[in-house]
Amino acid sequence: MTLLDCGGRPLDLGRAAIMGVLNVTPDSFSDGGFFLSRERAVAHARQLVEDGADIVDVGGESTRPGAQPVSVQEELDRVLPVIEVLRDTVSVPISIDSSKPEVMRAAVAAGAGFINDVRALRADGALAVAAELGVPVCLMHMQGEPRAMQTDPRYTDVVAEVRTFLAARLTACHAAGIEPARLVIDPGFGFGKTLAHNLQLLRGLAGLQTLGAPILVGLSRKSMIGLALGLPVEQRLAASLTLAVIAVANGARIVRTHDVRATREAIRMYETVYTN
Ligand code: YH5
């Protein structure tokens, strides 16, 4: 049975774990300033935990297709106040969703115990900082950069290429002194992939298990559902739950989702049927 030590807070992977998404990006709503956006984010995080989140993923950089880069200072200003409050108000581990070593270091100092990096520690200095911090790290595959990654994604064999990329990042982490027991891998659904690529990856997900690291997936509300079923983002719950269950059936151990309670119920029901 796998237990990840997230800076002193355990994450039990004996059953699939639910990672609740907490976006701290001020794009969609304007408000009375930092205090209001911090209070709103903290309230949302507490709701995610009440709904059954096993870990909360705090992100201050939008990595959606077409998103513009954010400065280190802007990202710190968004996430640090929220992490500081959550450290003292929720008991589950806090994940920092960032690719910037300066943000990783400050977030872990403020109370984060897990690094979720959509760039798999490829930024300058990120490998060394992650080695020094000692917390678990999720390494995600992405082809290109968010701004242009959906322009013309190309693969000969998407499952093989994602697998080879993740194997190389695991090797780079080992070489940098990061213990294998704290590494998690993620195929990066929607990150430089067409609908066909995403479907091939989901069907081939179990093939990543031989890399020896727990698999995390993020499928919640993603465009692949919109493309497959013609649904707007607010009508993607049922399809997201279906994809989450398929992922767990194919080896996923952490599921990143906006809809914690429903995702937890769907996965627990699946596990009730298939676990003796
Ligand atoms: C992920 O897969 N994804 S941010 C576009 C959407 C809906 C949702 C409306 N961070 C992942 O959630 N971290 C994100 O269309 C992630 N794995 C890991 N490890 C993108 C997102 C989203 C994008």
Side-chain angles (χ1 to χ4, degrees):
M1 197 209 55
T2 311
L3 248 197
L4 289 180
D5 176 358
C6 301
R9 301 187 188 197
L11 182 65
D12 180 0
L13 300 183
R15 287 187 287 188
I18 309 296
M19 171 181 270
V21 178
L22 185 68
N23 287 317
V24 196
T25 44
D27 20 328
S28 47
F29 27 8
S30 64
D31 57 42
F34 288 116
F35 178 76
L36 272 179
S37 63
R38 183 186 71 180
E39 295 317 294
R40 184 150 31 210
V42 168
H44 186 199
R46 297 184 70 125
Q47 185 66 53
L48 294 170
V49 173
E50 191 184 310
D51 288 346
D54 300 297
I55 180 168
V56 174
D57 188 38
V58 180
E61 180 205 14
S62 177
T63 48
R64 290 187 175 208
Q68 297 296 316
V70 172
S71 73
V72 171
Q73 193 57 52
E74 175 66 22
E75 222 181 300
L76 288 170
D77 290 343
R78 292 177 185 181
V79 299
L80 286 187
V82 174
I83 293 169
E84 284 165 3
V85 175
L86 291 183
R87 173 193 56 206
D88 301 323
T89 53
V90 305
S91 59
V92 302
I94 302 158
S95 163
I96 174 64
D97 182 345
S98 182
S99 297
K100 298 183 178 69
E102 303 90 334
V103 175
M104 295 172 187
R105 188 186 272 120
V108 170
F114 186 102
I115 295 168
N116 175 27
D117 184 4
V118 299
R119 294 181 184 80
L121 304 181
R122 285 178 291 160
D124 281 345
L127 275 171
V129 166
E132 154 202 324
L133 294 174
V135 301
V137 181
C138 178
L139 305 167
M140 197 194 79
H141 175 273
M142 168 164 56
Q143 183 180 90
E145 274 289 308
R147 201 173 43 77
M149 67 188 175
Q150 292 306 105
T151 303
D152 185 23
R154 282 169 188 269
Y155 301 85
T156 304
D157 177 341
V158 67
V159 178
E161 286 169 54
V162 166
R163 196 181 180 291
T164 298
F165 171 86
L166 292 172
R169 295 316 296 158
L170 288 168
T171 301
C173 286
H174 302 166
I178 303 176
E179 302 81 354
R182 61 180 171 99
L183 292 170
V184 172
I185 55 173
D186 182 339
F189 289 103
F191 285 85
K193 285 136 190 135
T194 65
L195 170 61
H197 295 143
N198 288 314
L199 297 175
Q200 287 162 12
L201 263 180
L202 186 56
R203 287 191 289 263
L205 191 70
L208 300 180
Q209 288 182 110
T210 49
L211 292 172
I215 298 169
L216 185 156
V217 295
L219 290 154
S220 177
R221 301 183 184 175
K222 281 192 175 170
S223 301
M224 60 184 287
I225 298 168
L227 292 170
L229 304 182
L231 293 172
V233 66
E234 68 276 8
Q235 290 174 31
R236 296 178 186 170
L237 177 58
S240 295
L241 299 177
T242 304
L243 295 176
V245 169
I246 292 170
V248 170
N250 286 280
R253 300 315 290 153
I254 306 175
V255 174
R256 184 179 180 278
T257 180
H258 303 84
D259 301 289
V260 168
R261 188 174 295 272
T263 303
R264 192 180 178 88
E265 288 175 0
I267 288 170
R268 289 294 169 267
M269 196 69 236
Y270 165 80
E271 290 173 336
T272 301
V273 173
Y274 284 102
T275 314
N276 45 95

